[in-house]
Amino acid sequence: MIRKVKKANLSKTVCVLTILLLLCILTVGCAEKITRGDSVTTDAGTIGSGSQDASDSATGRLDITTTAQNGSLGDDPFWDSTALLTARILKTGKSDCTLITAPDAVILIDAADTDDYELIDSTLQAQGVTAIDCMILTHFDNDHIGSAGAIIRNYQVKNLYIPAYTRVSENYRAMLAAVQATDTPVQIVTEDVTFSVGSVSLALNPTHLYDDIQPVTIDKDDGSTDAEENNFSLITALTYGTQKLLFLGDAEKERLAEFNKSALAKDTYALLKLPHHGDNNGQLRKLLGNTKPSYCISCVASSHNMDVTLTDAVRLYGAWHYATYDGTVIFRTDGTQVRIAQEN
């Protein structure tokens, strides 16, 4: 903003020169306007403007038109980096699919619905992906494995990680048929496991809520509930440099209560993919308090599908909230700094 300068008791020449000097200084220092989908890096982290829910923090509204400490808004701190990890939480409606790429790793968490394959395929192709080093199916609900069979048949999946139960469904059978046809290695996760894919470290946490009734087969036509299946969700913690990301599948209250007792729930995370498409409960709030995420992502089809208390809970713990109905969320880090944006 250019403020009016009161007339001073100076000569006309000095006044003109002074005004011109002020105009030059203010013009050079003027911040650029952020457009939807941009983000800004500050010494406190990265602030995104991609979602209607990402405009307020727990400490009040932040003026995101202020010039960043390290350059003007829109400057990309990673413009010359060759070692970025990028997580794309895709806009697939009320379903989940996240593509994570690094220079030496390609990781896919969940495979959304059957009708989401075109988007997943085009995203993989756009990133030059021909093989997937690690594919994690958190559980076997149709909105998490719908495109799994097609992905396994059309891309080389080097390792597939799945939870320890079976499902009676067409998509589950399609996934198994693709595994058998391509001889894809499958790891059934029954205990906590840690491993590395290139420079990316992963930790998978399975449930033990149903250990006394193993083996478990979920058949919705046989009276099984969504909550039972959701609680089989594998929870994935990912580390790249000093930055950590946490993906909760569709874990419901009982599963979150179990996870809250684990060591992984005591870490601090830059990004947290929230569970079950906009739901909120006391165990999730406890997890938010323990893990102190900078950014929370909800995979939802519209704002009407989201618990109205969820955004308030996220803000209460000082995090920024993005929802995929506004577009694919793109999180990037070089292992130290982070940046987040949203595609329309």
Side-chain angles (χ1 to χ4, degrees):
M1 178 183 294
I2 298 176
R3 298 176 180 175
K4 292 182 178 179
V5 180
K6 292 183 179 180
K7 184 177 180 182
N9 190 18
L10 300 171
S11 68
K12 182 177 180 180
T13 302
V14 174
C15 286
V16 171
L17 291 174
T18 302
I19 291 170
L20 289 173
L21 179 61
L22 284 170
L23 286 172
C24 290
I25 293 171
L26 289 169
T27 301
V28 172
C30 184
E32 297 175 37
K33 182 180 179 182
I34 294 183
T35 58
R36 186 176 182 82
D38 287 336
S39 55
V40 52
T41 302
T42 70
D43 56 349
T46 303
I47 298 137
S49 59
S51 166
Q52 62 185 32
D53 296 328
S55 58
D56 294 326
S57 70
T59 55
R61 180 173 293 277
L62 180 70
D63 180 9
I64 58 174
T65 62
T66 303
T67 303
Q69 182 175 357
N70 299 317
S72 63
L73 298 182
D75 284 353
D76 188 344
F78 306 137
W79 70 271
D80 63 345
S81 176
T82 59
L84 285 182
L85 177 138
T86 302
R88 291 176 171 82
I89 301 95
L90 302 186
K91 181 184 179 180
T92 58
K94 188 177 177 291
S95 59
D96 277 31
C97 183
T98 299
L99 172 64
I100 299 162
T101 55
D104 53 4
V106 176
I107 299 162
L108 192 69
I109 302 178
D110 285 327
D113 265 317
T114 308
D115 58 3
D116 293 313
Y117 178 71
E118 183 176 349
L119 172 61
I120 298 170
D121 182 48
S122 63
T123 302
L124 291 168
Q125 290 190 38
Q127 301 310 311
V129 173
T130 57
I132 298 168
D133 297 299
C134 171
M135 183 174 179
I136 300 165
L137 298 177
T138 61
H139 62 299
F140 301 136
D141 251 346
N142 289 332
D143 57 352
H144 288 251
I145 68 164
S147 295
I151 293 168
I152 292 168
R153 287 183 182 276
N154 293 313
Y155 292 86
Q156 180 192 3
V157 175
K158 297 179 182 179
N159 282 287
L160 175 64
Y161 292 84
I162 62 174
Y165 77 102
T166 59
R167 168 75 189 270
V168 178
S169 75
E170 181 178 345
N171 286 330
Y172 180 79
R173 289 189 293 271
M175 182 269 293
L176 286 184
V179 165
Q180 293 169 355
T182 58
D183 200 24
T184 298
V186 178
Q187 313 294 330
I188 299 175
V189 183
T190 59
E191 300 292 340
D192 286 2
V193 59
T194 59
F195 57 97
S196 293
V197 180
S199 54
V200 181
S201 298
L202 292 154
L204 302 183
N205 173 264
T207 186
H208 291 286
L209 292 174
Y210 306 104
D211 282 358
D212 58 337
I213 53 173
Q214 291 288 345
V216 175
T217 297
I218 299 291
D219 183 354
K220 298 293 177 61
D221 294 331
D222 196 33
S224 300
T225 66
D226 284 333
E228 288 173 324
E229 180 152 21
N230 291 337
N231 282 332
F232 272 96
S233 289
L234 295 176
I235 293 178
T236 303
L238 181 153
T239 303
Y240 188 74
T242 62
Q243 300 299 327
K244 297 185 177 185
L245 294 73
L246 187 64
F247 299 86
L248 297 172
D250 271 357
E252 301 216 23
K253 185 176 181 179
E254 298 83 0
R255 176 73 174 101
L256 291 174
E258 177 188 40
F259 180 70
N260 275 329
K261 300 173 184 177
S262 71
L264 291 176
K266 307 302 187 290
D267 283 337
T268 298
Y269 293 89
L271 181 143
L272 195 156
K273 202 291 295 181
L274 296 168
H276 203 224
H277 317 294
D279 282 358
N280 185 25
N281 59 65
Q283 290 298 326
L284 178 58
R285 293 189 292 273
K286 181 178 179 179
L287 184 62
L288 290 170
N290 289 340
T291 57
K292 301 175 178 60
S294 299
Y295 308 104
C296 293
I297 316 298
S298 293
C299 295
V300 288
S302 76
S303 59
H304 303 295
N305 301 127
M306 195 154 52
D307 189 321
V308 294
T309 66
L310 179 61
T311 296
D312 290 338
V314 169
R315 290 173 176 170
L316 178 64
Y317 292 102
W320 295 82
H321 186 208
Y322 285 79
T324 55
Y325 63 76
D326 272 337
T328 291
V329 178
I330 302 174
F331 172 93
R332 295 184 296 156
T333 180
D334 60 359
T336 303
Q337 296 187 83
V338 302
R339 193 173 180 89
I340 194 164
Q342 191 158 28
E343 294 179 341
N344 292 327

